[in-house]
mmCIF file of all heavy atoms in Angstrom:
data_model
loop_
_atom_site.group_PDB
_atom_site.id
_atom_site.type_symbol
_atom_site.label_atom_id
_atom_site.label_comp_id
_atom_site.label_asym_id
_atom_site.label_seq_id
_atom_site.Cartn_x
_atom_site.Cartn_y
_atom_site.Cartn_z
ATOM 1 N N HIS G 82 -9.954 -7.021 66.182
ATOM 2 C CA HIS G 82 -10.543 -5.764 66.708
ATOM 3 C C HIS G 82 -11.243 -5.026 65.602
ATOM 4 O O HIS G 82 -10.965 -5.201 64.416
ATOM 5 C CB HIS G 82 -9.419 -4.887 67.321
ATOM 6 C CG HIS G 82 -8.294 -4.580 66.379
ATOM 7 N ND1 HIS G 82 -8.230 -3.437 65.647
ATOM 8 C CD2 HIS G 82 -7.176 -5.294 66.069
ATOM 9 C CE1 HIS G 82 -7.111 -3.401 64.959
ATOM 10 N NE2 HIS G 82 -6.454 -4.542 65.158
ATOM 11 N N HIS G 83 -12.188 -4.183 66.008
ATOM 12 C CA HIS G 83 -12.918 -3.370 65.045
ATOM 13 C C HIS G 83 -13.354 -2.087 65.761
ATOM 14 O O HIS G 83 -13.304 -2.007 66.999
ATOM 15 C CB HIS G 83 -14.123 -4.110 64.494
ATOM 16 C CG HIS G 83 -15.163 -4.406 65.531
ATOM 17 N ND1 HIS G 83 -15.093 -5.507 66.392
ATOM 18 C CD2 HIS G 83 -16.338 -3.772 65.841
ATOM 19 C CE1 HIS G 83 -16.128 -5.527 67.180
ATOM 20 N NE2 HIS G 83 -16.903 -4.511 66.879
ATOM 21 N N GLY G 84 -13.740 -1.100 65.006
ATOM 22 C CA GLY G 84 -14.152 0.156 65.573
ATOM 23 C C GLY G 84 -15.664 0.339 65.583
ATOM 24 O O GLY G 84 -16.365 -0.221 64.722
ATOM 25 N N ILE G 85 -16.157 1.087 66.553
ATOM 26 C CA ILE G 85 -17.566 1.410 66.661
ATOM 27 C C ILE G 85 -17.697 2.928 66.671
ATOM 28 O O ILE G 85 -17.166 3.601 67.573
ATOM 29 C CB ILE G 85 -18.229 0.823 67.913
ATOM 30 C CG1 ILE G 85 -18.261 -0.685 67.867
ATOM 31 C CG2 ILE G 85 -19.662 1.346 68.107
ATOM 32 C CD1 ILE G 85 -18.867 -1.341 69.112
ATOM 33 N N LEU G 86 -18.396 3.473 65.682
ATOM 34 C CA LEU G 86 -18.635 4.912 65.643
ATOM 35 C C LEU G 86 -19.736 5.263 66.572
ATOM 36 O O LEU G 86 -20.804 4.628 66.585
ATOM 37 C CB LEU G 86 -18.977 5.336 64.187
ATOM 38 C CG LEU G 86 -17.812 5.296 63.199
ATOM 39 C CD1 LEU G 86 -18.344 5.609 61.773
ATOM 40 C CD2 LEU G 86 -16.740 6.320 63.575
ATOM 41 N N ARG G 87 -19.549 6.260 67.398
ATOM 42 C CA ARG G 87 -20.511 6.658 68.414
ATOM 43 C C ARG G 87 -20.846 8.115 68.297
ATOM 44 O O ARG G 87 -19.982 8.943 67.949
ATOM 45 C CB ARG G 87 -19.982 6.344 69.817
ATOM 46 C CG ARG G 87 -19.584 4.892 70.010
ATOM 47 C CD ARG G 87 -18.699 4.716 71.227
ATOM 48 N NE ARG G 87 -19.332 5.108 72.448
ATOM 49 C CZ ARG G 87 -18.757 5.872 73.354
ATOM 50 N NH1 ARG G 87 -17.531 6.377 73.159
ATOM 51 N NH2 ARG G 87 -19.391 6.182 74.456
ATOM 52 N N ASP G 88 -22.095 8.484 68.700
ATOM 53 C CA ASP G 88 -22.475 9.859 68.736
ATOM 54 C C ASP G 88 -22.019 10.443 70.069
ATOM 55 O O ASP G 88 -22.789 10.490 71.064
ATOM 56 C CB ASP G 88 -24.005 9.975 68.604
ATOM 57 C CG ASP G 88 -24.459 11.393 68.600
ATOM 58 O OD1 ASP G 88 -23.619 12.317 68.397
ATOM 59 O OD2 ASP G 88 -25.680 11.639 68.801
ATOM 60 N N SER G 89 -20.762 10.765 70.160
ATOM 61 C CA SER G 89 -20.156 11.193 71.428
ATOM 62 C C SER G 89 -19.311 12.442 71.215
ATOM 63 O O SER G 89 -18.686 12.624 70.143
ATOM 64 C CB SER G 89 -19.270 10.078 72.018
ATOM 65 O OG SER G 89 -18.521 10.537 73.094
ATOM 66 N N SER G 90 -19.308 13.312 72.213
ATOM 67 C CA SER G 90 -18.537 14.551 72.119
ATOM 68 C C SER G 90 -17.056 14.293 72.460
ATOM 69 O O SER G 90 -16.226 15.171 72.250
ATOM 70 C CB SER G 90 -19.088 15.630 73.061
ATOM 71 O OG SER G 90 -19.073 15.134 74.419
ATOM 72 N N THR G 91 -16.755 13.123 73.029
ATOM 73 C CA THR G 91 -15.378 12.879 73.471
ATOM 74 C C THR G 91 -14.714 11.745 72.686
ATOM 75 O O THR G 91 -13.604 11.883 72.228
ATOM 76 C CB THR G 91 -15.365 12.545 74.978
ATOM 77 O OG1 THR G 91 -16.288 11.496 75.242
ATOM 78 C CG2 THR G 91 -15.734 13.767 75.810
ATOM 79 N N THR G 92 -15.382 10.593 72.602
ATOM 80 C CA THR G 92 -14.782 9.422 71.929
ATOM 81 C C THR G 92 -15.683 9.049 70.759
ATOM 82 O O THR G 92 -16.583 8.239 70.859
ATOM 83 C CB THR G 92 -14.662 8.249 72.903
ATOM 84 O OG1 THR G 92 -14.024 8.697 74.055
ATOM 85 C CG2 THR G 92 -13.842 7.114 72.293
ATOM 86 N N LYS G 93 -15.359 9.584 69.580
ATOM 87 C CA LYS G 93 -16.180 9.299 68.394
ATOM 88 C C LYS G 93 -16.003 7.836 67.938
ATOM 89 O O LYS G 93 -16.974 7.238 67.477
ATOM 90 C CB LYS G 93 -15.738 10.214 67.245
ATOM 91 C CG LYS G 93 -15.923 11.711 67.512
ATOM 92 C CD LYS G 93 -17.399 12.087 67.455
ATOM 93 C CE LYS G 93 -17.563 13.594 67.591
ATOM 94 N NZ LYS G 93 -18.968 13.980 67.625
ATOM 95 N N LEU G 94 -14.789 7.338 68.045
ATOM 96 C CA LEU G 94 -14.479 5.995 67.599
ATOM 97 C C LEU G 94 -13.983 5.147 68.762
ATOM 98 O O LEU G 94 -12.940 5.486 69.329
ATOM 99 C CB LEU G 94 -13.457 5.977 66.472
ATOM 100 C CG LEU G 94 -13.048 4.647 65.945
ATOM 101 C CD1 LEU G 94 -14.168 3.909 65.279
ATOM 102 C CD2 LEU G 94 -11.834 4.798 64.955
ATOM 103 N N ARG G 95 -14.722 4.095 69.129
ATOM 104 C CA ARG G 95 -14.262 3.216 70.176
ATOM 105 C C ARG G 95 -13.797 1.896 69.561
ATOM 106 O O ARG G 95 -14.463 1.346 68.713
ATOM 107 C CB ARG G 95 -15.387 2.957 71.175
ATOM 108 C CG ARG G 95 -15.170 1.676 71.992
ATOM 109 C CD ARG G 95 -16.018 1.598 73.212
ATOM 110 N NE ARG G 95 -15.504 2.477 74.243
ATOM 111 C CZ ARG G 95 -16.012 2.510 75.498
ATOM 112 N NH1 ARG G 95 -17.040 1.815 75.798
ATOM 113 N NH2 ARG G 95 -15.456 3.300 76.372
ATOM 114 N N VAL G 96 -12.616 1.454 69.973
ATOM 115 C CA VAL G 96 -12.057 0.177 69.478
ATOM 116 C C VAL G 96 -12.495 -0.934 70.418
ATOM 117 O O VAL G 96 -12.351 -0.844 71.626
ATOM 118 C CB VAL G 96 -10.552 0.234 69.376
ATOM 119 C CG1 VAL G 96 -9.991 -1.082 68.851
ATOM 120 C CG2 VAL G 96 -10.088 1.388 68.518
ATOM 121 N N VAL G 97 -13.079 -1.999 69.864
ATOM 122 C CA VAL G 97 -13.564 -3.135 70.616
ATOM 123 C C VAL G 97 -12.714 -4.347 70.237
ATOM 124 O O VAL G 97 -12.559 -4.640 69.032
ATOM 125 C CB VAL G 97 -15.041 -3.408 70.387
ATOM 126 C CG1 VAL G 97 -15.477 -4.641 71.141
ATOM 127 C CG2 VAL G 97 -15.898 -2.226 70.817
ATOM 128 N N TYR G 98 -12.178 -5.073 71.243
ATOM 129 C CA TYR G 98 -11.341 -6.220 70.986
ATOM 130 C C TYR G 98 -12.122 -7.504 71.246
ATOM 131 O O TYR G 98 -12.740 -7.655 72.298
ATOM 132 C CB TYR G 98 -10.101 -6.155 71.878
ATOM 133 C CG TYR G 98 -9.261 -4.931 71.604
ATOM 134 C CD1 TYR G 98 -9.471 -3.761 72.359
ATOM 135 C CD2 TYR G 98 -8.290 -4.932 70.628
ATOM 136 C CE1 TYR G 98 -8.710 -2.611 72.078
ATOM 137 C CE2 TYR G 98 -7.547 -3.808 70.400
ATOM 138 C CZ TYR G 98 -7.740 -2.624 71.118
ATOM 139 O OH TYR G 98 -7.023 -1.515 70.875
ATOM 140 N N ASN G 99 -12.108 -8.423 70.287
ATOM 141 C CA ASN G 99 -12.819 -9.675 70.425
ATOM 142 C C ASN G 99 -11.880 -10.743 70.962
ATOM 143 O O ASN G 99 -11.368 -11.594 70.224
ATOM 144 C CB ASN G 99 -13.384 -10.099 69.064
ATOM 145 C CG ASN G 99 -14.172 -11.375 69.154
ATOM 146 O OD1 ASN G 99 -14.574 -11.805 70.246
ATOM 147 N ND2 ASN G 99 -14.441 -12.027 68.030
ATOM 148 N N ALA G 100 -11.686 -10.724 72.298
ATOM 149 C CA ALA G 100 -10.807 -11.676 72.920
ATOM 150 C C ALA G 100 -11.451 -13.046 73.122
ATOM 151 O O ALA G 100 -10.873 -13.920 73.707
ATOM 152 C CB ALA G 100 -10.309 -11.130 74.277
ATOM 153 N N SER G 101 -12.689 -13.214 72.627
ATOM 154 C CA SER G 101 -13.347 -14.510 72.696
ATOM 155 C C SER G 101 -13.120 -15.299 71.387
ATOM 156 O O SER G 101 -13.605 -16.437 71.287
ATOM 157 C CB SER G 101 -14.864 -14.339 72.899
ATOM 158 O OG SER G 101 -15.115 -13.778 74.175
ATOM 159 N N SER G 102 -12.408 -14.758 70.443
ATOM 160 C CA SER G 102 -12.125 -15.434 69.195
ATOM 161 C C SER G 102 -11.064 -16.522 69.451
ATOM 162 O O SER G 102 -10.011 -16.232 70.007
ATOM 163 C CB SER G 102 -11.581 -14.407 68.166
ATOM 164 O OG SER G 102 -11.230 -15.071 66.970
ATOM 165 N N PRO G 103 -11.364 -17.770 69.079
ATOM 166 C CA PRO G 103 -10.432 -18.896 69.360
ATOM 167 C C PRO G 103 -9.159 -18.783 68.546
ATOM 168 O O PRO G 103 -9.122 -18.283 67.433
ATOM 169 C CB PRO G 103 -11.215 -20.126 68.992
ATOM 170 C CG PRO G 103 -12.250 -19.661 67.999
ATOM 171 C CD PRO G 103 -12.616 -18.241 68.392
ATOM 172 N N SER G 104 -8.070 -19.221 69.175
ATOM 173 C CA SER G 104 -6.767 -19.243 68.490
ATOM 174 C C SER G 104 -6.640 -20.574 67.720
ATOM 175 O O SER G 104 -7.552 -21.350 67.618
ATOM 176 C CB SER G 104 -5.662 -19.094 69.523
ATOM 177 O OG SER G 104 -5.672 -20.192 70.414
ATOM 178 N N THR G 105 -5.412 -20.859 67.245
ATOM 179 C CA THR G 105 -5.185 -22.090 66.491
ATOM 180 C C THR G 105 -5.348 -23.290 67.399
ATOM 181 O O THR G 105 -5.595 -24.437 66.924
ATOM 182 C CB THR G 105 -3.800 -22.078 65.906
ATOM 183 O OG1 THR G 105 -2.828 -21.792 66.910
ATOM 184 C CG2 THR G 105 -3.674 -21.056 64.783
ATOM 185 N N SER G 106 -5.255 -23.096 68.690
ATOM 186 C CA SER G 106 -5.429 -24.222 69.632
ATOM 187 C C SER G 106 -6.880 -24.433 69.989
ATOM 188 O O SER G 106 -7.246 -25.389 70.656
ATOM 189 C CB SER G 106 -4.684 -23.875 70.949
ATOM 190 O OG SER G 106 -5.297 -22.819 71.617
ATOM 191 N N GLY G 107 -7.767 -23.585 69.453
ATOM 192 C CA GLY G 107 -9.203 -23.657 69.805
ATOM 193 C C GLY G 107 -9.570 -22.962 71.083
ATOM 194 O O GLY G 107 -10.753 -22.975 71.472
ATOM 195 N N ILE G 108 -8.628 -22.337 71.698
ATOM 196 C CA ILE G 108 -8.904 -21.655 72.984
ATOM 197 C C ILE G 108 -8.659 -20.140 72.786
ATOM 198 O O ILE G 108 -7.710 -19.729 72.122
ATOM 199 C CB ILE G 108 -7.926 -22.211 74.080
ATOM 200 C CG1 ILE G 108 -8.190 -23.679 74.311
ATOM 201 C CG2 ILE G 108 -8.125 -21.410 75.401
ATOM 202 C CD1 ILE G 108 -7.200 -24.294 75.286
ATOM 203 N N SER G 109 -9.523 -19.326 73.370
ATOM 204 C CA SER G 109 -9.402 -17.889 73.243
ATOM 205 C C SER G 109 -8.779 -17.325 74.508
ATOM 206 O O SER G 109 -8.650 -18.030 75.543
ATOM 207 C CB SER G 109 -10.761 -17.258 73.036
ATOM 208 O OG SER G 109 -11.557 -17.313 74.214
ATOM 209 N N LEU G 110 -8.395 -16.071 74.478
ATOM 210 C CA LEU G 110 -7.865 -15.395 75.659
ATOM 211 C C LEU G 110 -8.867 -15.351 76.798
ATOM 212 O O LEU G 110 -8.538 -15.618 77.958
ATOM 213 C CB LEU G 110 -7.415 -13.960 75.323
ATOM 214 C CG LEU G 110 -6.900 -13.099 76.464
ATOM 215 C CD1 LEU G 110 -5.719 -13.728 77.171
ATOM 216 C CD2 LEU G 110 -6.561 -11.693 75.973
ATOM 217 N N ASN G 111 -10.121 -15.102 76.426
ATOM 218 C CA ASN G 111 -11.143 -15.049 77.455
ATOM 219 C C ASN G 111 -11.423 -16.404 78.123
ATOM 220 O O ASN G 111 -11.856 -16.485 79.277
ATOM 221 C CB ASN G 111 -12.455 -14.512 76.879
ATOM 222 C CG ASN G 111 -12.367 -13.000 76.725
ATOM 223 O OD1 ASN G 111 -11.534 -12.293 77.227
ATOM 224 N ND2 ASN G 111 -13.347 -12.411 75.956
ATOM 225 N N ASP G 112 -11.123 -17.483 77.389
ATOM 226 C CA ASP G 112 -11.299 -18.823 77.920
ATOM 227 C C ASP G 112 -10.387 -19.079 79.111
ATOM 228 O O ASP G 112 -10.709 -19.869 79.994
ATOM 229 C CB ASP G 112 -11.077 -19.900 76.870
ATOM 230 C CG ASP G 112 -12.198 -19.921 75.843
ATOM 231 O OD1 ASP G 112 -13.337 -19.497 76.161
ATOM 232 O OD2 ASP G 112 -11.933 -20.381 74.716
ATOM 233 N N ILE G 113 -9.240 -18.460 79.125
ATOM 234 C CA ILE G 113 -8.224 -18.769 80.186
ATOM 235 C C ILE G 113 -8.154 -17.621 81.232
ATOM 236 O O ILE G 113 -7.331 -17.678 82.110
ATOM 237 C CB ILE G 113 -6.829 -18.952 79.571
ATOM 238 C CG1 ILE G 113 -6.334 -17.664 78.869
ATOM 239 C CG2 ILE G 113 -6.820 -20.103 78.589
ATOM 240 C CD1 ILE G 113 -4.892 -17.736 78.388
#
């Protein structure tokens, strides 16, 4: 996961999760 800084009055920092990143099995959460 990483953060994205935004020009917003409510949510300055949005956390984005990379669920397409493969695990040790070569399969990601998004794959299943």
